[in-house]
Coordinates of all heavy atoms in Angstrom, one line a residue:
M20 N 0.8 -1.2 0.0 CA 0.1 0.0 0.0 C 0.8 1.3 -0.1 O 0.4 2.2 -0.6 CB -0.9 -0.1 1.2 CG -2.0 1.0 1.1 SD -3.3 0.4 0.2 CE -4.6 1.5 0.6
A21 N 2.0 1.2 0.6 CA 2.9 2.4 0.6 C 3.4 2.7 -0.8 O 3.9 3.8 -1.0 CB 4.0 2.1 1.6
N22 N 3.5 1.7 -1.6 CA 4.0 1.9 -3.0 C 3.0 2.7 -3.9 O 3.4 3.3 -4.9 CB 4.4 0.7 -3.6 CG 5.2 0.8 -4.8 OD1 5.8 1.8 -5.1 ND2 5.1 -0.2 -5.6
R23 N 1.7 2.7 -3.5 CA 0.7 3.4 -4.4 C 0.8 4.8 -4.6 O 0.8 5.3 -5.7 CB -0.6 3.0 -3.7 CG -1.8 3.4 -4.6 CD -3.0 2.8 -4.0 NE -4.2 3.5 -4.5 CZ -5.4 3.3 -4.0 NH1 -5.6 2.5 -3.0 NH2 -6.5 3.9 -4.5
P24 N 1.1 5.7 -3.5 CA 1.3 7.1 -3.8 C 2.5 7.3 -4.7 O 2.5 8.2 -5.4 CB 1.7 7.7 -2.3 CG 1.0 6.7 -1.4 CD 1.1 5.3 -2.1
R25 N 3.7 6.5 -4.6 CA 4.7 6.7 -5.5 C 4.3 6.4 -7.0 O 4.8 7.1 -7.8 CB 5.9 5.8 -5.1 CG 6.7 6.3 -4.0 CD 7.9 5.5 -3.7 NE 8.3 5.6 -2.4 CZ 8.9 4.6 -1.6 NH1 9.1 3.5 -2.2 NH2 9.4 4.9 -0.4
R26 N 3.6 5.4 -7.1 CA 3.1 5.0 -8.4 C 2.2 6.1 -9.1 O 2.4 6.5 -10.2 CB 2.4 3.7 -8.4 CG 3.3 2.5 -8.2 CD 2.6 1.2 -8.2 NE 1.3 1.1 -8.8 CZ 0.5 0.2 -8.6 NH1 0.7 -0.7 -7.6 NH2 -0.8 0.1 -9.2
M27 N 1.3 6.7 -8.2 CA 0.5 7.8 -8.7 C 1.3 9.0 -9.0 O 1.2 9.7 -10.1 CB -0.5 8.1 -7.6 CG -1.5 7.0 -7.5 SD -2.9 7.3 -6.4 CE -2.5 8.3 -5.1
L28 N 2.3 9.3 -8.2 CA 3.2 10.5 -8.5 C 4.1 10.3 -9.7 O 4.2 11.2 -10.5 CB 4.1 10.8 -7.3 CG 3.4 11.3 -6.1 CD1 4.3 11.6 -5.0 CD2 2.8 12.8 -6.5
R29 N 4.5 9.0 -9.9 CA 5.2 8.7 -11.1 C 4.4 8.8 -12.3 O 4.8 9.2 -13.4 CB 5.8 7.4 -11.0 CG 6.9 7.0 -11.9 CD 7.7 5.8 -11.8 NE 7.8 5.3 -10.4 CZ 7.4 4.2 -9.9 NH1 6.8 3.3 -10.7 NH2 7.6 3.8 -8.7
F30 N 3.2 8.5 -12.3 CA 2.2 8.5 -13.3 C 2.0 9.9 -13.8 O 2.0 10.3 -14.9 CB 0.9 7.8 -12.8 CG -0.3 7.9 -13.7 CD1 -0.3 7.0 -15.0 CD2 -1.4 8.7 -13.6 CE1 -1.3 7.1 -15.9 CE2 -2.4 8.7 -14.5 CZ -2.3 8.0 -15.6
L31 N 1.7 10.8 -12.7 CA 1.5 12.2 -13.0 C 2.8 12.9 -13.5 O 2.7 13.8 -14.4 CB 0.9 12.9 -11.8 CG -0.4 12.5 -11.4 CD1 -0.8 13.2 -10.1 CD2 -1.5 12.9 -12.5
A32 N 4.0 12.5 -12.9 CA 5.2 13.2 -13.4 C 5.4 12.8 -14.9 O 5.9 13.6 -15.5 CB 6.4 12.7 -12.5
G33 N 5.2 11.7 -15.3 CA 5.3 11.2 -16.6 C 4.5 12.1 -17.6 O 5.0 12.5 -18.6
H34 N 3.2 12.3 -17.2 CA 2.4 13.1 -18.0 C 2.8 14.6 -17.9 O 2.7 15.3 -18.9 CB 0.9 13.0 -17.5 CG 0.3 11.7 -17.9 ND1 0.5 10.6 -17.4 CD2 -0.5 11.4 -19.1 CE1 -0.2 9.6 -18.1 NE2 -0.7 10.1 -19.1
L35 N 3.3 15.0 -16.8 CA 3.8 16.4 -16.8 C 5.0 16.5 -17.6 O 5.2 17.6 -18.3 CB 4.2 16.8 -15.3 CG 4.8 18.2 -15.1 CD1 3.7 19.2 -15.5 CD2 5.1 18.3 -13.6
A36 N 5.9 15.5 -17.8 CA 7.1 15.6 -18.6 C 6.6 15.7 -20.0 O 7.3 16.5 -20.8 CB 7.9 14.3 -18.3
V37 N 5.6 15.0 -20.4 CA 5.0 15.2 -21.8 C 4.5 16.5 -22.1 O 4.9 17.2 -23.2 CB 4.0 14.1 -22.1 CG1 3.2 14.3 -23.4 CG2 4.6 12.7 -22.1
G38 N 3.8 17.1 -21.2 CA 3.3 18.4 -21.2 C 4.4 19.4 -21.3 O 4.4 20.5 -22.0
T39 N 5.5 19.3 -20.6 CA 6.7 20.1 -20.5 C 7.3 20.1 -21.9 O 7.8 21.1 -22.4 CB 7.7 19.7 -19.4 OG1 7.0 19.8 -18.2 CG2 8.9 20.7 -19.4
A40 N 7.5 18.9 -22.4 CA 8.1 18.9 -23.8 C 7.3 19.6 -24.9 O 7.8 20.2 -25.8 CB 8.4 17.4 -24.1
A41 N 6.0 19.3 -24.8 CA 5.2 20.0 -25.7 C 5.2 21.6 -25.7 O 5.1 22.3 -26.6 CB 3.6 19.4 -25.6
A42 N 5.2 22.0 -24.4 CA 5.3 23.5 -24.1 C 6.6 24.0 -24.7 O 6.7 25.0 -25.2 CB 5.1 23.8 -22.7
A43 N 7.7 23.2 -24.6 CA 9.0 23.8 -25.0 C 9.0 23.8 -26.5 O 9.5 24.8 -27.1 CB 10.1 22.8 -24.4
V44 N 8.5 22.8 -27.1 CA 8.4 22.8 -28.6 C 7.4 23.9 -29.1 O 7.8 24.6 -30.1 CB 7.8 21.4 -29.1 CG1 7.4 21.5 -30.7 CG2 8.8 20.4 -28.8
F45 N 6.4 24.2 -28.4 CA 5.4 25.2 -28.9 C 6.1 26.6 -28.7 O 6.0 27.4 -29.6 CB 4.2 25.1 -28.1 CG 3.0 26.1 -28.4 CD1 2.4 26.0 -29.6 CD2 2.8 27.2 -27.6 CE1 1.4 26.9 -29.9 CE2 1.9 28.1 -27.9 CZ 1.1 28.0 -29.1
V46 N 6.6 26.8 -27.5 CA 7.3 28.2 -27.4 C 8.5 28.4 -28.3 O 8.7 29.4 -29.0 CB 7.7 28.4 -25.9 CG1 8.5 29.6 -25.6 CG2 6.4 28.5 -24.9
G47 N 9.2 27.3 -28.5 CA 10.3 27.4 -29.4 C 9.9 27.7 -30.9 O 10.5 28.4 -31.6
A48 N 8.8 27.0 -31.3 CA 8.3 27.3 -32.5 C 7.8 28.7 -32.7 O 7.9 29.3 -33.8 CB 7.1 26.3 -32.9
L49 N 7.1 29.2 -31.7 CA 6.6 30.6 -31.7 C 7.8 31.5 -31.9 O 7.7 32.5 -32.7 CB 5.9 30.9 -30.4 CG 4.4 30.6 -30.3 CD1 3.9 30.9 -28.9 CD2 3.6 31.2 -31.4
L50 N 8.8 31.3 -31.2 CA 10.0 32.2 -31.2 C 10.9 32.0 -32.5 O 11.3 32.9 -33.1 CB 10.9 32.1 -30.0 CG 10.2 32.5 -28.7 CD1 11.2 32.1 -27.5 CD2 9.9 34.0 -28.7
A51 N 10.9 30.8 -33.0 CA 11.7 30.5 -34.2 C 11.1 31.0 -35.4 O 11.7 31.5 -36.3 CB 11.9 29.0 -34.3
T52 N 9.7 31.0 -35.5 CA 9.0 31.5 -36.6 C 8.7 33.0 -36.5 O 8.2 33.6 -37.4 CB 7.7 30.8 -36.9 OG1 6.8 30.9 -35.7 CG2 8.0 29.2 -37.1
D53 N 8.9 33.5 -35.4 CA 8.7 34.9 -35.0 C 7.2 35.3 -35.3 O 6.8 36.2 -35.9 CB 9.6 35.9 -35.8 CG 9.6 37.4 -35.4 OD1 9.2 37.5 -34.2 OD2 9.9 38.3 -36.0
A54 N 6.4 34.4 -34.7 CA 4.9 34.5 -35.0 C 4.4 35.8 -34.4 O 4.8 36.0 -33.1 CB 4.1 33.3 -34.4
L55 N 3.6 36.6 -35.0 CA 3.1 37.9 -34.5 C 4.1 38.8 -34.1 O 3.9 39.7 -33.3 CB 2.1 37.7 -33.4 CG 0.8 36.7 -33.8 CD1 0.1 36.5 -32.5 CD2 0.0 37.4 -34.8
G56 N 5.4 38.5 -34.5 CA 6.6 39.5 -34.2 C 7.1 39.3 -32.7 O 7.7 40.3 -32.1
L57 N 6.7 38.2 -32.1 CA 7.1 38.0 -30.7 C 8.6 38.0 -30.4 O 9.0 38.6 -29.5 CB 6.5 36.8 -30.1 CG 5.0 36.6 -29.9 CD1 4.5 35.3 -29.5 CD2 4.6 37.7 -28.8
A58 N 9.3 37.3 -31.2 CA 10.8 37.3 -31.1 C 11.4 38.6 -31.3 O 12.3 39.0 -30.5 CB 11.3 36.1 -32.0
S59 N 11.0 39.3 -32.3 CA 11.7 40.6 -32.6 C 11.2 41.6 -31.6 O 12.1 42.5 -31.2 CB 11.3 41.0 -34.0 OG 9.8 41.1 -34.2
L60 N 10.1 41.5 -31.0 CA 9.6 42.4 -30.0 C 10.4 42.1 -28.7 O 10.8 43.0 -28.0 CB 8.1 42.2 -29.7 CG 7.4 43.2 -28.7 CD1 7.5 44.5 -29.3 CD2 6.0 42.7 -28.5
A61 N 10.6 40.9 -28.4 CA 11.4 40.5 -27.2 C 12.8 41.0 -27.3 O 13.4 41.4 -26.4 CB 11.3 39.0 -26.9
R62 N 13.4 40.8 -28.5 CA 14.9 41.3 -28.8 C 15.0 42.7 -28.7 O 16.1 43.3 -28.4 CB 15.3 40.7 -30.1 CG 15.9 39.3 -30.0 CD 16.6 38.9 -31.3 NE 15.7 37.9 -31.9 CZ 15.0 38.0 -33.1 NH1 15.1 39.1 -33.8 NH2 14.3 37.0 -33.5
A63 N 13.9 43.5 -29.1 CA 13.9 45.0 -29.2 C 14.0 45.6 -27.8 O 14.5 46.7 -27.6 CB 12.8 45.5 -29.9
D64 N 13.5 45.0 -26.7 CA 13.4 45.4 -25.4 C 14.6 44.9 -24.5 O 14.9 43.8 -24.7 CB 12.0 45.0 -24.9 CG 11.8 45.8 -23.5 OD1 12.7 46.4 -22.9 OD2 10.6 45.8 -23.1
A65 N 15.0 45.6 -23.6 CA 16.1 45.3 -22.8 C 15.7 44.1 -21.9 O 16.4 43.2 -21.5 CB 16.6 46.4 -21.9
N66 N 14.4 44.2 -21.5 CA 13.9 43.1 -20.5 C 13.0 42.1 -21.3 O 12.0 41.7 -20.7 CB 13.1 43.7 -19.4 CG 14.1 44.5 -18.4 OD1 15.2 44.1 -18.2 ND2 13.5 45.5 -18.0
G67 N 13.1 41.9 -22.5 CA 12.4 41.0 -23.3 C 12.4 39.6 -22.9 O 11.5 38.8 -23.0
W68 N 13.5 39.2 -22.2 CA 13.6 37.9 -21.8 C 12.5 37.6 -20.6 O 12.1 36.4 -20.4 CB 15.0 37.6 -21.1 CG 15.4 38.4 -20.0 CD1 15.9 39.8 -20.0 CD2 15.2 38.2 -18.6 NE1 16.0 40.2 -18.7 CE2 15.6 39.2 -17.8 CE3 14.6 37.1 -18.0 CZ2 15.5 39.3 -16.5 CZ3 14.5 37.1 -16.6 CH2 15.0 38.2 -15.8
V69 N 12.1 38.7 -19.9 CA 11.1 38.5 -18.9 C 9.8 38.1 -19.5 O 9.1 37.2 -19.0 CB 10.9 39.8 -18.0 CG1 9.8 39.7 -17.1 CG2 12.3 40.1 -17.3
A70 N 9.4 38.7 -20.7 CA 8.2 38.4 -21.3 C 8.3 37.0 -21.9 O 7.3 36.2 -21.8 CB 8.0 39.5 -22.5
V71 N 9.5 36.6 -22.4 CA 9.6 35.2 -22.9 C 9.5 34.2 -21.8 O 8.8 33.1 -21.9 CB 10.9 35.1 -23.7 CG1 11.1 33.6 -24.0 CG2 10.9 36.0 -24.9
A72 N 10.1 34.6 -20.6 CA 10.0 33.7 -19.5 C 8.6 33.5 -19.0 O 8.1 32.4 -18.7 CB 10.9 34.1 -18.4
L73 N 7.8 34.6 -18.9 CA 6.5 34.5 -18.5 C 5.6 33.8 -19.5 O 4.6 33.0 -19.1 CB 5.9 35.9 -18.3 CG 6.4 36.7 -17.1 CD1 5.9 38.1 -17.1 CD2 6.0 36.0 -15.8
L74 N 5.9 34.0 -20.8 CA 5.1 33.2 -21.8 C 5.4 31.7 -21.6 O 4.5 30.8 -21.7 CB 5.5 33.7 -23.2 CG 5.0 32.8 -24.3 CD1 3.5 33.0 -24.5 CD2 5.7 33.2 -25.7
A75 N 6.8 31.4 -21.5 CA 7.0 30.0 -21.3 C 6.5 29.3 -20.1 O 6.0 28.2 -20.1 CB 8.6 29.8 -21.2
V76 N 6.4 30.1 -18.9 CA 5.8 29.5 -17.7 C 4.3 29.4 -17.9 O 3.8 28.3 -17.5 CB 6.2 30.4 -16.5 CG1 5.4 30.0 -15.3 CG2 7.6 30.3 -16.1
G77 N 3.7 30.4 -18.5 CA 2.2 30.1 -18.8 C 1.9 29.1 -19.7 O 0.9 28.3 -19.3
V78 N 2.7 28.8 -20.7 CA 2.4 27.7 -21.6 C 2.7 26.4 -21.0 O 2.0 25.4 -21.1 CB 3.2 27.9 -22.9 CG1 3.0 26.7 -23.8 CG2 2.7 29.1 -23.7
W79 N 3.8 26.4 -20.1 CA 4.2 25.2 -19.4 C 3.0 24.8 -18.4 O 2.6 23.6 -18.4 CB 5.5 25.4 -18.7 CG 5.8 24.3 -17.8 CD1 6.2 23.0 -18.1 CD2 5.9 24.3 -16.4 NE1 6.4 22.2 -17.0 CE2 6.2 23.0 -15.9 CE3 5.7 25.3 -15.3 CZ2 6.4 22.7 -14.5 CZ3 5.8 24.9 -14.1 CH2 6.2 23.7 -13.6
V80 N 2.6 25.7 -17.7 CA 1.4 25.3 -16.7 C 0.2 24.9 -17.6 O -0.5 23.9 -17.1 CB 1.0 26.6 -15.9 CG1 -0.3 26.4 -15.1 CG2 2.1 27.0 -14.9
T81 N -0.1 25.5 -18.6 CA -1.3 25.1 -19.4 C -1.1 23.8 -20.0 O -2.0 22.8 -19.9 CB -1.6 26.1 -20.6 OG1 -1.8 27.3 -19.9 CG2 -2.7 25.7 -21.3
F82 N 0.0 23.5 -20.7 CA 0.3 22.1 -21.4 C 0.4 21.1 -20.4 O 0.0 19.9 -20.5 CB 1.4 22.3 -22.3 CG 1.1 22.9 -23.6 CD1 0.2 24.0 -23.8 CD2 1.7 22.5 -24.8 CE1 0.0 24.6 -24.9 CE2 1.3 23.0 -26.0 CZ 0.5 24.1 -26.1
G83 N 1.2 21.4 -19.3 CA 1.4 20.4 -18.2 C 0.1 20.0 -17.6 O -0.1 18.8 -17.3
S84 N -0.7 20.9 -17.3 CA -2.1 20.6 -16.7 C -2.9 19.8 -17.7 O -3.6 18.9 -17.2 CB -2.8 21.9 -16.3 OG -2.1 22.7 -15.4
L85 N -3.0 20.2 -18.9 CA -3.6 19.4 -19.9 C -3.2 18.0 -20.0 O -4.0 17.1 -20.1 CB -3.5 20.0 -21.3 CG -4.2 19.4 -22.4 CD1 -5.7 19.5 -22.3 CD2 -3.7 20.0 -23.8
A86 N -1.9 17.8 -20.0 CA -1.4 16.4 -20.1 C -1.7 15.6 -18.8 O -2.0 14.4 -19.0 CB 0.2 16.5 -20.3
M87 N -1.5 16.2 -17.7 CA -1.8 15.6 -16.4 C -3.5 15.2 -16.3 O -3.8 14.1 -15.9 CB -1.4 16.3 -15.3 CG 0.1 16.3 -15.1 SD 0.6 17.5 -13.8 CE 0.1 16.7 -12.3
G88 N -4.2 16.2 -16.8 CA -5.7 15.9 -16.8 C -6.1 14.9 -17.7 O -6.9 14.0 -17.3
A89 N -5.4 14.8 -18.8 CA -5.7 13.7 -19.8 C -5.3 12.3 -19.2 O -6.0 11.4 -19.4 CB -5.1 14.0 -21.1
G90 N -4.2 12.3 -18.6 CA -3.8 11.1 -17.9 C -4.8 10.7 -16.9 O -5.2 9.4 -16.8
I91 N -5.3 11.6 -16.1 CA -6.2 11.2 -15.0 C -7.5 10.7 -15.6 O -8.1 9.8 -15.2 CB -6.4 12.4 -14.0 CG1 -5.2 12.7 -13.2 CG2 -7.6 12.1 -13.2 CD1 -5.2 14.0 -12.5
M92 N -8.0 11.4 -16.7 CA -9.2 11.1 -17.3 C -9.1 9.7 -18.0 O -10.2 9.0 -18.3 CB -9.7 12.1 -18.2 CG -10.0 13.5 -17.7 SD -11.4 13.2 -16.6 CE -11.1 14.6 -15.4
Y93 N -7.9 9.3 -18.4 CA -7.8 8.0 -19.1 C -7.8 6.8 -18.2 O -7.9 5.7 -18.6 CB -6.4 8.1 -19.9 CG -6.3 6.8 -20.8 CD1 -7.1 6.6 -21.8 CD2 -5.3 5.9 -20.5 CE1 -6.9 5.5 -22.7 CE2 -5.1 4.8 -21.3 CZ -5.9 4.7 -22.5 OH -5.8 3.5 -23.2
V94 N -7.6 7.0 -16.9 CA -7.6 5.9 -15.9 C -8.9 5.2 -16.0 O -10.0 5.8 -15.9 CB -7.3 6.4 -14.4 CG1 -7.5 5.3 -13.5 CG2 -6.0 7.0 -14.4
D95 N -8.9 3.9 -16.1 CA -10.1 3.1 -16.3 C -10.9 2.9 -15.0 O -10.3 2.6 -13.9 CB -9.6 1.7 -16.7 CG -10.8 0.8 -17.1 OD1 -11.9 1.3 -17.2 OD2 -10.6 -0.5 -17.1
K96 N -12.1 3.3 -15.0 CA -13.0 3.3 -13.8 C -14.0 2.2 -13.7 O -14.9 2.2 -13.1 CB -13.7 4.7 -13.6 CG -12.6 5.8 -13.4 CD -13.4 7.0 -13.1 CE -12.5 8.1 -12.6 NZ -11.7 8.7 -13.7
D97 N -13.7 1.2 -14.6 CA -14.6 0.1 -14.6 C -14.4 -0.9 -13.4 O -13.3 -1.4 -13.4 CB -14.5 -0.7 -16.0 CG -15.4 -1.9 -16.0 OD1 -16.4 -1.9 -15.4 OD2 -15.2 -2.7 -16.9
P98 N -15.3 -1.0 -12.5 CA -15.0 -2.0 -11.4 C -14.9 -3.4 -11.7 O -14.2 -4.1 -11.0 CB -16.3 -1.7 -10.5 CG -17.4 -1.2 -11.3 CD -16.6 -0.5 -12.4
E99 N -15.3 -3.8 -12.9 CA -15.1 -5.2 -13.3 C -13.7 -5.5 -13.6 O -13.3 -6.6 -13.6 CB -16.1 -5.6 -14.4 CG -17.5 -5.5 -14.1 CD -18.0 -6.3 -13.0 OE1 -17.5 -7.5 -12.9 OE2 -18.7 -5.9 -12.1
S100 N -13.0 -4.5 -14.1 CA -11.7 -4.7 -14.6 C -10.6 -4.6 -13.4 O -9.4 -4.8 -13.6 CB -11.2 -3.7 -15.7 OG -11.1 -2.4 -15.0
G101 N -11.1 -4.4 -12.3 CA -10.1 -4.4 -11.1 C -9.6 -3.1 -10.8 O -8.7 -3.0 -10.0
G102 N -10.1 -1.9 -11.4 CA -9.6 -0.7 -11.0 C -9.0 0.2 -12.1 O -9.3 -0.1 -13.3
G103 N -8.0 1.0 -11.7 CA -7.4 1.8 -12.6 C -6.6 1.2 -13.6 O -6.1 0.0 -13.5
L104 N -6.3 1.9 -14.8 CA -5.5 1.3 -15.9 C -4.1 0.9 -15.4 O -3.7 -0.2 -15.6 CB -5.4 2.4 -17.0 CG -4.6 2.0 -18.2 CD1 -5.4 0.9 -18.9 CD2 -4.4 3.2 -19.1
R105 N -3.4 1.8 -14.8 CA -2.0 1.5 -14.3 C -1.9 1.5 -12.8 O -1.1 0.9 -12.2 CB -1.0 2.5 -14.8 CG -0.9 2.5 -16.2 CD 0.2 3.5 -16.6 NE 0.2 3.8 -18.0 CZ 0.9 4.7 -18.6 NH1 1.7 5.4 -17.9 NH2 0.9 5.0 -19.8
L106 N -2.8 2.2 -12.2 CA -2.6 2.5 -10.7 C -3.3 1.6 -9.8 O -3.1 1.5 -8.7 CB -3.1 3.9 -10.4 CG -2.4 5.0 -11.2 CD1 -3.1 6.3 -10.9 CD2 -1.0 5.0 -11.0
G107 N -4.3 0.7 -10.3 CA -5.0 -0.2 -9.4 C -5.9 0.5 -8.6 O -6.2 0.1 -7.5
L108 N -6.5 1.7 -9.0 CA -7.4 2.4 -8.2 C -8.8 1.8 -8.4 O -9.3 1.3 -9.4 CB -7.4 3.9 -8.7 CG -6.2 4.6 -8.5 CD1 -6.3 6.0 -9.1 CD2 -5.7 4.6 -7.2
R109 N -9.6 1.9 -7.4 CA -11.0 1.5 -7.4 C -11.9 2.7 -7.2 O -11.7 3.5 -6.3 CB -11.3 0.5 -6.4 CG -10.6 -0.8 -6.6 CD -11.1 -1.9 -5.6 NE -10.3 -3.1 -5.7 CZ -10.6 -4.0 -6.6 NH1 -11.6 -3.8 -7.5 NH2 -9.8 -5.1 -6.7
P110 N -13.1 2.9 -8.0 CA -13.9 3.9 -7.8 C -14.6 3.8 -6.4 O -14.8 2.8 -5.8 CB -14.9 3.9 -8.9 CG -14.8 2.5 -9.4 CD -13.4 2.0 -9.0
T111 N -14.9 5.0 -5.8 CA -15.5 5.1 -4.4 C -16.8 5.9 -4.5 O -16.8 6.9 -5.1 CB -14.5 5.8 -3.5 OG1 -13.3 5.1 -3.5 CG2 -15.1 5.7 -2.1
L112 N -17.9 5.2 -4.1 CA -19.1 5.9 -4.0 C -19.1 6.8 -2.8 O -18.8 6.5 -1.6 CB -20.3 4.9 -3.9 CG -20.5 4.1 -5.1 CD1 -21.6 3.0 -5.0 CD2 -20.7 4.8 -6.4
V113 N -19.6 8.1 -3.0 CA -19.7 9.1 -2.0 C -21.1 9.5 -1.7 O -21.8 9.9 -2.7 CB -18.8 10.3 -2.3 CG1 -18.9 11.3 -1.1 CG2 -17.4 9.9 -2.5
P114 N -21.6 9.2 -0.5 CA -23.0 9.6 -0.3 C -23.3 11.1 -0.3 O -22.4 11.8 0.3 CB -23.3 9.0 1.2 CG -22.1 8.8 1.8 CD -21.0 8.6 0.7
V115 N -24.3 11.5 -0.9 CA -24.6 13.0 -0.9 C -25.9 13.3 -0.4 O -26.9 12.5 -0.8 CB -24.5 13.5 -2.4 CG1 -24.7 15.0 -2.5 CG2 -23.1 13.2 -3.0
R116 N -26.0 14.2 0.5 CA -27.4 14.6 1.1 C -27.7 16.0 0.6 O -26.8 16.9 0.7 CB -27.3 14.5 2.6 CG -27.4 13.1 3.1 CD -27.6 13.1 4.6 NE -26.3 12.5 5.1 CZ -25.9 12.7 6.3 NH1 -26.6 13.4 7.1 NH2 -24.7 12.2 6.7
L117 N -28.8 16.2 0.3 CA -29.3 17.6 0.0 C -29.7 18.3 1.2 O -30.1 17.7 2.2 CB -30.6 17.6 -0.9 CG -30.4 17.1 -2.4 CD1 -31.8 17.0 -3.1 CD2 -29.5 17.9 -3.2
R118 N -29.3 19.5 1.3 CA -29.7 20.4 2.4 C -31.2 20.8 2.3 O -31.7 20.9 1.2 CB -28.8 21.7 2.4 CG -27.4 21.5 2.5 CD -26.7 22.8 2.6 NE -25.3 22.6 2.4 CZ -24.6 23.6 1.9 NH1 -24.9 24.8 1.6 NH2 -23.3 23.3 1.8
S119 N -31.8 20.9 3.5 CA -33.2 21.3 3.5 C -33.3 22.7 2.8 O -32.4 23.6 3.1 CB -33.6 21.3 4.9 OG -33.0 22.3 5.7
G120 N -34.3 22.8 2.0 CA -34.6 24.1 1.5 C -33.9 24.2 0.0 O -34.1 25.1 -0.7
S121 N -32.9 23.2 -0.3 CA -32.3 23.3 -1.6 C -33.1 22.8 -2.7 O -34.0 21.9 -2.4 CB -30.9 22.6 -1.6 OG -31.2 21.2 -1.4
R122 N -33.3 23.4 -3.9 CA -34.0 22.9 -4.9 C -33.3 21.7 -5.7 O -32.1 21.6 -5.8 CB -34.2 24.0 -6.0 CG -35.0 25.1 -5.3 CD -35.3 26.1 -6.4 NE -36.0 27.3 -5.8 CZ -36.4 28.3 -6.4 NH1 -36.2 28.4 -7.7 NH2 -37.0 29.2 -5.8
S123 N -34.1 20.8 -6.3 CA -33.6 19.8 -7.1 C -33.4 20.3 -8.5 O -34.1 21.3 -8.9 CB -34.5 18.6 -7.0 OG -35.1 18.2 -8.3
S124 N -32.7 19.7 -9.3 CA -32.5 20.1 -10.7 C -33.5 19.5 -11.7 O -33.3 19.7 -12.9 CB -31.0 19.7 -11.1 OG -30.9 18.3 -11.1
R125 N -34.6 19.1 -11.2 CA -35.5 18.6 -12.2 C -36.4 19.5 -12.7 O -36.8 20.5 -12.4 CB -36.5 17.6 -11.4 CG -35.8 16.4 -11.1 CD -36.8 15.3 -10.5 NE -36.2 14.8 -9.3 CZ -36.9 13.8 -8.6 NH1 -38.1 13.5 -9.0 NH2 -36.4 13.4 -7.5

């Protein structure tokens, strides 16, 4: 059971690595092709590297989150198959009670 959190972190880290690589390729392509004049604009300013760094971090967070979310959504939740695709997770039912006075969505 102690190995399970390590497996989950390794699973997420692998997907984060894929998102990181995709973000690096995307930002590199943006700068290499000078799309919308981004590279020339960054070169023209003394602190253009700050703008490039902020762009890279924003794209890294977006692509990394997307890759990790896709990995989580891909985990098999069929109880007949024994749990998760790689992690051996089992779905858990959570009881939900409506508060008094709350409306139903019907």
Side-chain angles (χ1 to χ4, degrees):
M20 192 80 163
N22 194 22
R23 189 169 161 189
R25 283 190 198 144
R26 287 179 24 204
M27 291 189 323
L28 286 175
R29 195 175 324 128
F30 177 76
L31 290 175
H34 284 82
L35 180 61
V37 169
T39 300
V44 167
F45 182 73
V46 171
L49 277 178
L50 295 175
T52 60
D53 197 20
L55 300 172
L57 288 175
S59 58
L60 186 63
R62 270 188 253 115
D64 192 345
N66 292 325
W68 64 272
V69 175
V71 171
L73 288 173
L74 173 70
V76 168
V78 171
W79 172 67
V80 167
T81 302
F82 281 36
S84 300
L85 177 70
M87 290 171 68
I91 290 169
M92 294 299 155
Y93 187 67
V94 173
D95 184 18
K96 292 185 174 74
D97 182 16
E99 298 299 323
S100 70
L104 181 68
R105 295 186 196 171
L106 304 177
L108 300 175
R109 293 190 184 275
T111 304
L112 295 177
V113 178
V115 177
R116 282 187 249 160
L117 291 175
R118 295 183 197 156
S119 62
S121 63
R122 295 183 181 181
S123 120
S124 62
R125 291 187 229 179

